[in-house]
Structures are given as C-alpha cells and as structure tokens.
Amino acid sequence: YNPKIVIHLASYLTSSDDISSIKNIVDSNILFTSILLESLKSTDLELFINTVTFAEYYYNDGKENPAYFYSESKIAIKPIIKYFKNIQGFKTINIIPYTIYGGKSKSKKVIDYILDSLDSKLYLEMTNGEQILDFIHIDDVTDFYVHCVNNINLLKDEEDYHLGTGKGTSIKELSN
C-alpha cells in the first residue's frame, strides 16, 4: 500500500443539523478523513485531492461562510489536512464542484425532479425558483479529476479549484 495520489471523495452530506446528523458528519468528514491521513503517513504520497463544497461560500463573496454544519465540517478538516501535509510533505488541493448533474445518484437532485414531472399528472411542489445555481455535468467533474492526476506537476499546492460554468441559472429558468 503506497499510493502516490489520493482522491478523497468520501463524505456524509446533509443539510440537517440534528444530533444524529452531526454525529454522522463528524464521524465521516472529520474522524474518517483524519484516520485516512494517518494511514498515509508511511507512504510516498505526492498529492492529496480533497473534495469540498460550494456551500462553504454561502454569500458567494469568496469568503468561507458555511451554509450548513456539513459545509462547516469541510472547512474544519482543512487545517487537519495541512497538519498531515506538513508532517509528510505531500501537495494538497481542494476541488469545489458546484451543482453536479447527470449520471446516477442515490439522491434526487432538482433536475431529476423536474424531469420526472414532465410525464407526471401530479403537480410538482416547488419554491418560486429564485435560487441561482451553477450546474456542471458529472463528466466534466470527473474529467477535471483525471486532468489533475495527469498534470500533478502543474498543480499549485493548497490551491482551490472551483468547478462550474461561471454562469448562474435560476431553478425557474431551468424548469422553463
């Protein structure tokens, strides 16, 4: 066991802040990541790719301000990653995908609900649709991960890579 690159995707994602969710978030996003990093101490790791969330930037002003306890846990793990990075000397980056669509997912996303409603006689309960999201296809996200792996020498250490189109689309526009 001697990986050169680790792509860390594991996470417990929820917008709930109840006691059970908090425990699951801490166990998965803090404890598991810490144990993973500890297990890498005796390897020749060159790059640790950490996946975080756009929900860390609630006000979309470039400053970390978490929308949920989940997104706070993704912020909280960063100094722990840096601790292990400093001990071992590997490079680390954060990939921040925006609203991913496409492929198969265990949980339905807004696009799935809209598509399901097209052939349905049932009324789809939605908000006014004013929320603005930046949609990116799962294939574009995975292509970026592959690009990072294939171009490790071009990556800047401790860099954040925001993955999206840069164009916001409201849910109302999307449903129309």
Side-chain angles (χ1 to χ4, degrees), residues 124-135:
L124 178 61
E125 287 285 334
M126 293 183 70
T127 65
N128 290 334
E130 303 299 325
Q131 305 94 319
I132 303 208
L133 299 170
D134 185 346
F135 294 93

Side-chain angles (χ1 to χ4, degrees), residues 2 4 8 19 24 27-28 35 44 46-47 50 76 80 93 95 99 110 114-115 120 123 127 147 150 157-158 162 164:
N2 192 19
K4 300 289 184 207
H8 180 42
I19 291 172
N24 289 332
D27 284 352
S28 176
I35 292 169
D44 298 320
E46 295 176 22
L47 175 64
N50 186 39
I80 296 170
I93 63 169
I95 295 181
T99 307
V110 68
I114 293 169
L115 290 173
S120 176
Y123 179 75
T127 65
H147 177 77
N150 291 334
D157 189 28
E158 296 186 37
H162 295 258

Side-chain angles (χ1 to χ4, degrees), residues 8-81:
H8 180 42
L9 297 165
S11 183
Y12 182 81
L13 188 150
T14 182
S15 59
S16 297
D17 290 347
D18 59 81
I19 291 172
S20 176
S21 294
I22 288 171
K23 181 184 179 330
N24 289 332
I25 289 168
V26 170
D27 284 352
S28 176
N29 302 351
I30 306 289
L31 182 60
F32 174 79
T33 305
S34 300
I35 292 169
L36 171 64
L37 289 160
E38 171 63 26
S39 76
L40 295 165
K41 280 173 70 175
S42 62
T43 68
D44 298 320
L45 185 66
E46 295 176 22
L47 175 64
F48 186 85
I49 299 174
N50 186 39
T51 306
V52 294
T53 173
F54 70 92
E56 292 177 30
Y57 305 94
Y58 184 71
Y59 294 112
N60 199 25
D61 60 2
K63 297 177 186 164
E64 290 177 338
N65 192 346
Y68 312 104
F69 186 78
Y70 158 75
S71 46
E72 175 54 42
S73 75
K74 300 304 263 181
I75 293 170
I77 196 62
K78 290 177 186 177
I80 296 170
I81 293 170

Side-chain angles (χ1 to χ4, degrees), residues 161-176:
Y161 293 93
H162 295 258
L163 300 187
T165 63
K167 179 185 182 303
T169 302
S170 73
I171 293 176
K172 184 184 285 184
E173 289 175 285
L174 177 67
S175 64
N176 286 337

Side-chain angles (χ1 to χ4, degrees), residues 81-145:
I81 293 170
K82 188 169 186 164
Y83 166 78
F84 284 98
K85 168 195 155 15
N86 289 341
I87 289 172
Q88 195 169 339
F90 56 82
K91 185 186 294 188
T92 183
I93 63 169
N94 294 303
I95 295 181
I96 307 156
Y98 283 73
T99 307
I100 301 171
Y101 71 95
K104 298 198 186 293
S105 177
K106 289 182 182 178
S107 60
K108 284 190 169 193
K109 309 280 195 289
V110 68
I111 289 178
D112 300 316
Y113 286 108
I114 293 169
L115 290 173
D116 287 350
S117 74
L118 295 176
D119 295 326
S120 176
K121 303 273 188 241
L122 299 175
Y123 179 75
L124 178 61
E125 287 285 334
M126 293 183 70
T127 65
N128 290 334
E130 303 299 325
Q131 305 94 319
I132 303 208
L133 299 170
D134 185 346
F135 294 93
I136 183 165
H137 195 275
I138 186 64
D139 290 347
D140 296 323
V141 174
T142 56
D143 286 349
F144 187 76
Y145 280 93

